Amino acid sequence: MGNKIIYTKELAPKTKLFEIEADHIAKRGRAGQFIILRVCDEGERIPLTIANRNPDKGTITLVFQEVGKTTEMLGQLAVGDEILDLAGPLGKATEIPTGKTVVCVGGGIGNAVVWPQVQALKEAGNKVIAILGARTKELLILEEEIMSLADMTITTTDDGSYGRKGMVTHALEDLIEEGEKVDEVITIGPVVMMKFVCKATEPHGIPTQASLNPIMVDGTGMCGACRVTVGGKTRFACVEGPEFDGHAVDFDELITRLAYYQPEERASADNYHRCRMEEAADNLGNHG
Amino acid sequence: MTDNTKKPKKVINKSKTKVPMREQAPMDRIMNFEEVPLGYTEDEAHQEALRCIDCKTKPCVAGCPVGIDIPAFLKLVGEKNFEGALRKIKEKNFLPAICGRVCPQEDQCEMVCTLNKPDKGREPGGIGRVERFLGDYAMEHNLTITPEIAPATGKTVAIIGSGPAGLTAASDLAQKGHKVTVFEALHKPGGVLFYGIPQFRMPKEILIREIDGMKDMGVEFVMNYPVGKAEPLDSIRQRFDAVFIGTGAGLPWFLGIPGENLNGVYSANEFLTRVNLMGGYKFPDGADTPVKKIKRIAVIGAGNTAMDSARTAKRLQPEVVYLVYRRSRLEMPARIEEIHHAEQEGIDFNLLHSPIEIIDDGKGAVGAIRCQEMELGEPDDSGRRRPIPIEGKIRDFAVDTVVISIGQGPNPLLSADCPELARDERRGTIVINDYAQTSFENVFAGGDIVTGGATVILAMGQGRVAADAMHRYLMTGDPAPADNESGDVCPNLT
């Protein structure tokens, strides 16, 4: 099971796209599902949503942001390298309606997940409107890819450097107020963004699926690290999700749980940077 | 050659007690993750084996879930023929170094040993200790005892899950000449033997070696392949002549009390997985998966997993490790040896305390666990005395971490993707007949996915029974033994 990287592209600073050989995941995976990967011995298991699949070629596409040691190490890999461990597809697929008007609201790296969703929704005969947000123009990813599939695409940046200035929630609210008949909303992005997207749709009674990204260890239902409260009940995002009824999700709990290991994540990344700098210094020494 | 071996006469060590096993001292071992019992030397194993009186009834063999010929291997150890003894064990059990460590011998072979007369101060033969010695002997002397493999049958078998049940079935079926492929969802093989059993109870090197031995026998291992997700069971059972499901009891139970989703509350599975499988105790220099620095921790439950969790926690050097259990010492399900080790290591046992709430420290993390003090009432359905609350007696334990270790249910990953597979509606376990066969003709199952949660050796026993039935099924089309041959049926474990 080689899991060889066959294509890489930098989509934005610290944001990369990899196409990887993973035949069975390419064939069986569905929009909304994720994989778990590990890049080195004693490395972490991290979940990444499948951004695209090419069943004929037997490849999947992953998009990730370098935010910690594991994603930075992943980012160091190049075409021809292999991913040490790659398991999937995990989680439940996005429930795809037919003949509806669906708005996909993505933010930041979340747009990578909007991409396969828009594709699946279009294939099922839905009208799809994509709202894509980013902090600033250079961080906006996959706009062209999504725009070529969706019936309409609205882009927003927080600083107004591109598209509409402001938050995705404002664009969504305007869309609803302008009288667009929205049957369903699917949202994926920073937790705070998803929380406000759900708040925006709730008064209108628009069913809203939120794709959650809690901390996971095994990703197969075994550890419960990923538990989230939905409608007052504890659910395991890895096997019962990752998508849940956004109006029932306890987003504040999710934010707190996501922050628990931040000091360790920072320490790990700092440690890694120090090691790499020492290595670089050693190399300079050797060659100097 | 001595006279003894020429004219074998019975040499019996008449000591009433087992040859003691050396251990790391409690205060030393809580500072490391090295193994606690140090094992027998050749002389110690020899002396212990000589205690066996080679009785006629051999109750120990019947007491062993995999039916090892115990008197025979002890006799060989008594003759210092260690390699022969290993061969004898490996006829029935390919994992002696593991079973010698994790089997509850005191409830099995040793309990029924003819020597065992506690009222007369006489201990049973130290079967587990000698078995472990042999497993270690093989490793130290780099002895690979690969069982004889029958000529290839041309049949293919898929084993789903590489825990104790799956590994046993895989090994048995490979021996019988079938082409075996093991599918594992995680990145390391071994299931609970890897993620659950801590390094200080069973070093991972032992497991890795046993699995390498299976690879030498021609068993293929496919990691990172969660069957049910990566490939439907339907497809697997078309691709292979027979399938064994041993996906285990991987779904952790929680208490259902307020505060259980606060930061710092772990299932035992998560806590042990972070430390054992992911190497969290080596974070950040030796491993990338962190486990939070713990000051004060409470482990809820009193089974073997709770003892493993408490003792694992102790090695992370906190100020205090509480063990909290709602019943009394008599009802604790853990092995006596594990309880004893935990006590030696300074685990603070709080029996007859039932958790009722986990209290927020004000920042979304654990601040304390609130417990109702209990007393014992009349026996309940399980025959154990029911704990009943003592009114007004509430006690708070100030802790920053809580580990819930109250059991687990069957892993839902496979069955969720295959609703046609017959299951026990209430328990979620897979239903099998006397020959380990599920509702699909060529699909068999065993271990915790069938029992709902038992021990490593019982899972191995079921793997063995299933392998026998699968072999018959593959060769004749019928998993039941012919009238004139004997065959074990699945032990009733529920």
Side-chain angles (χ1 to χ4, degrees):
Chain A
M1 307 242 150
N3 302 322
K4 194 190 280 180
I5 300 167
I6 61 160
Y7 174 76
T8 68
K9 183 181 177 186
E10 185 157 328
L11 298 179
K14 285 184 173 283
T15 303
K16 288 179 177 154
L17 176 151
F18 279 6
E19 189 178 351
I20 301 163
E21 286 175 355
D23 192 55
H24 67 276
I25 305 176
K27 290 191 169 55
R28 318 252 184 219
R30 295 289 174 267
Q33 289 190 298
F34 63 93
I35 56 92
I36 292 247
L37 64 76
R38 229 166 57 106
V39 289
C40 62
D41 273 328
E42 304 292 353
E44 274 183 295
R45 293 170 66 87
I46 60 159
L48 290 174
T49 311
I50 302 165
N52 208 343
R53 302 174 296 112
N54 187 331
D56 300 328
K57 218 166 137 195
T59 62
I60 60 169
T61 301
L62 301 176
V63 175
F64 61 95
Q65 207 171 5
E66 296 178 13
V67 289
K69 180 181 175 184
T70 306
T71 42
E72 279 182 40
M73 285 177 75
L74 183 63
Q76 294 295 311
L77 299 180
V79 170
D81 290 340
E82 290 187 1
I83 310 273
L84 179 65
D85 293 299
L86 184 69
L90 296 166
K92 286 187 173 169
T94 306
E95 281 175 32
I96 302 292
T98 47
K100 298 270 172 73
T101 299
V102 183
V103 181
C104 295
V105 187
I109 193 80
N111 293 338
V113 187
V114 170
W115 184 21
Q117 286 171 340
V118 171
Q119 196 173 339
L121 286 162
K122 277 312 291 176
E123 281 165 12
N126 296 284
K127 178 181 176 188
V128 183
I129 300 167
I131 303 178
L132 309 176
R135 281 210 315 277
T136 183
K137 184 185 175 188
E138 67 166 354
L139 297 178
L140 183 71
I141 59 167
L142 299 168
E143 189 200 19
E144 260 176 55
E145 287 82 350
I146 294 168
M147 207 182 259
S148 70
L149 296 165
D151 294 283
M152 180 168 114
T153 303
I154 304 165
T155 308
T156 71
T157 50
D158 295 3
D159 62 0
S161 53
Y162 183 75
R164 203 183 136 147
K165 184 177 186 326
M167 309 284 175
V168 286
T169 38
H170 300 142
L172 176 65
E173 277 164 347
D174 288 353
L175 192 69
I176 296 168
E177 268 160 38
E178 282 158 17
E180 182 69 48
K181 187 187 79 68
V182 179
D183 297 313
E184 201 177 302
V185 170
I186 302 176
T187 180
I188 165 87
V191 184
V192 178
M193 181 205 90
M194 292 193 284
K195 177 181 166 176
F196 284 101
V197 166
C198 293
K199 276 200 169 158
T201 58
E202 200 169 10
H204 303 281
I206 303 170
T208 304
Q209 293 290 315
S211 183
L212 308 185
N213 58 340
I215 294 175
M216 290 185 188
V217 183
D218 68 288
T220 63
M222 198 185 81
C223 83
C226 66
R227 56 197 194 277
V228 289
T229 301
V230 183
K233 280 168 76 175
T234 295
R235 311 284 296 270
F236 286 11
C238 68
V239 286
E240 299 176 274
E243 287 169 22
F244 292 101
D245 171 4
H247 297 144
V249 169
D250 184 341
F251 285 106
D252 294 336
E253 180 187 272
L254 178 59
I255 291 168
T256 307
R257 287 185 67 81
L258 278 167
Y260 188 48
Y261 272 105
Q262 266 169 11
E264 285 76 14
E265 285 158 13
R266 258 195 308 275
S268 184
D270 290 349
N271 211 28
Y272 176 59
H273 296 153
R274 204 166 39 243
C275 289
R276 284 187 63 195
M277 274 162 65
E278 279 167 15
E279 230 170 72
D282 280 355
N283 285 341
L284 279 179
N286 290 341
H287 300 298
Chain B
M1 284 257 188
T2 65
D3 278 353
N4 260 354
T5 45
K6 268 183 196 162
K7 281 182 279 176
K9 68 178 179 198
K10 240 178 197 174
V11 186
I12 297 174
N13 172 358
K14 290 193 171 159
S15 166
K16 278 187 162 185
T17 52
K18 293 180 189 174
V19 176
M21 191 184 281
R22 291 156 300 121
E23 290 184 346
Q24 270 201 79
M27 289 310 117
D28 294 338
R29 71 200 193 214
I30 60 171
M31 307 302 282
N32 64 54
F33 274 83
E34 306 300 315
E35 207 175 5
V36 172
L38 298 172
Y40 276 164
T41 60
E42 289 186 18
D43 276 345
E44 287 165 341
H46 177 243
Q47 280 306 311
E48 184 57 35
L50 291 178
R51 288 186 62 232
C52 174
I53 55 169
D54 201 14
C55 62
K56 280 198 180 124
T57 51
K58 307 181 196 305
C60 52
V61 180
C64 172
V66 295
I68 298 174
D69 189 346
I70 293 165
F73 91 71
L74 288 177
K75 195 163 175 229
L76 288 160
V77 174
E79 293 162 5
K80 294 207 173 179
N81 180 354
F82 303 129
E83 199 173 328
L86 259 168
R87 275 184 206 289
K88 184 51 76 180
I89 292 188
K90 289 231 172 180
E91 285 172 7
K92 294 284 184 180
N93 177 5
F94 71 110
L95 302 169
I98 296 175
C99 291
R101 287 171 167 82
V102 302
C103 267
Q105 291 100 5
E106 67 276 13
D107 295 327
Q108 301 172 352
C109 53
E110 294 185 16
M111 182 175 77
V112 294
C113 173
T114 306
L115 284 176
N116 191 17
K117 294 277 183 292
D119 48 325
K120 293 186 183 152
R122 204 167 68 201
E123 292 181 347
I127 300 165
R129 293 177 178 186
V130 179
E131 184 186 27
R132 174 193 156 155
F133 161 78
L134 290 169
D136 292 352
Y137 181 89
M139 192 146 28
E140 273 158 34
H141 293 79
N142 215 14
L143 285 180
T144 337
I145 297 187
T146 315
E148 245 178 74
I149 296 174
T153 60
K155 304 283 183 186
T156 57
V157 175
I159 306 283
I160 307 172
S162 66
L167 289 181
T168 307
S171 156
D172 283 8
L173 288 161
Q175 259 183 68
K176 293 180 200 297
H178 308 299
K179 177 78 194 90
V180 178
T181 307
V182 179
F183 295 102
E184 166 59 47
L186 293 175
H187 59 274
K188 296 277 189 197
V192 71
L193 299 171
F194 211 112
Y195 75 75
I197 311 268
Q199 182 77 5
F200 57 84
R201 271 227 285 142
M202 189 191 70
K204 301 288 171 256
E205 298 71 36
I206 290 171
L207 177 66
I208 291 165
R209 191 192 151 88
E210 301 287 11
I211 286 168
D212 285 346
M214 292 178 62
K215 289 178 184 165
D216 291 342
M217 285 167 61
V219 177
E220 191 192 341
F221 283 83
V222 180
M223 297 295 104
N224 299 308
Y225 203 80
V227 173
K229 291 289 186 187
E231 182 176 351
L233 179 60
D234 266 338
S235 160
I236 294 270
R237 70 194 184 94
Q238 277 156 28
R239 274 211 292 143
F240 292 86
D241 296 314
V243 180
F244 175 80
I245 304 175
T247 47
L251 181 76
W253 288 339
F254 287 88
L255 291 158
I257 60 173
E260 230 167 356
N261 288 352
L262 288 170
N263 281 335
V265 182
Y266 299 93
S267 70
N269 273 1
E270 182 186 350
F271 185 65
L272 292 172
T273 298
R274 279 183 183 271
V275 179
N276 295 333
L277 177 68
M278 308 307 297
Y281 62 98
K282 295 180 270 184
F283 178 87
D285 294 319
D288 296 340
T289 305
V291 58
K292 208 74 179 177
K293 185 84 194 133
I294 299 166
K295 280 208 180 113
R296 306 172 66 84
I297 175 169
V299 175
I300 315 301
N304 288 322
T305 310
M307 297 304 145
D308 285 345
S309 301
R311 297 176 64 202
T312 296
K314 190 74 188 180
R315 284 157 175 76
L316 301 171
Q317 321 289 338
E319 289 166 13
V320 64
V321 181
Y322 296 115
L323 189 112
V324 175
Y325 180 48
R326 68 197 185 102
R327 297 180 189 255
S328 78
R329 174 166 300 260
L330 261 181
E331 291 84 19
M332 291 173 78
R335 292 183 66 191
I336 297 159
E337 186 189 322
E338 302 305 327
I339 296 171
H340 180 63
H341 278 145
E343 279 179 322
Q344 282 182 332
E345 290 170 12
I347 309 297
D348 184 343
F349 281 53
N350 294 272
L351 308 176
L352 291 165
H353 279 75
S354 182
I356 50 176
E357 187 182 353
I358 302 168
I359 295 163
D360 196 327
D361 69 348
K363 290 178 236 154
V366 176
I369 182 157
R370 179 160 294 166
C371 296
Q372 165 73 58
E373 292 189 34
M374 314 293 278
E375 61 188 351
L376 290 181
E378 294 300 307
D380 61 14
D381 295 344
S382 68
R384 301 181 297 181
R385 291 180 67 191
R386 188 194 305 272
I388 45 179
I390 308 173
E391 206 171 316
K393 283 249 188 178
I394 303 286
R395 185 171 161 204
D396 285 356
F397 295 87
V399 290
D400 52 38
T401 306
V402 172
V403 173
I404 315 272
S405 180
I406 56 163
Q408 53 254 318
N411 192 316
L413 201 64
L414 175 70
S415 36
D417 282 71
C418 189
E420 306 84 25
L421 185 67
R423 274 168 298 162
D424 179 304
E425 285 302 319
R426 192 174 55 85
R427 301 163 71 228
T429 47
I430 294 178
V431 175
I432 56 171
N433 66 14
D434 281 350
Y435 304 105
Q437 197 174 27
T438 68
S439 55
F440 292 139
E441 193 189 331
N442 70 336
V443 180
F444 298 73
D448 282 358
I449 191 68
V450 168
T451 60
T455 60
V456 167
I457 188 71
L458 285 172
M460 292 175 70
Q462 289 203 327
R464 152 112 348 110
V465 171
D468 286 346
M470 289 167 77
H471 176 62
R472 288 189 295 264
Y473 170 78
L474 287 165
M475 303 316 285
T476 70
D478 184 358
D483 291 342
N484 59 352
E485 67 176 326
S486 69
D488 293 328
V489 297
C490 268
N492 183 4
L493 301 166
T494 49

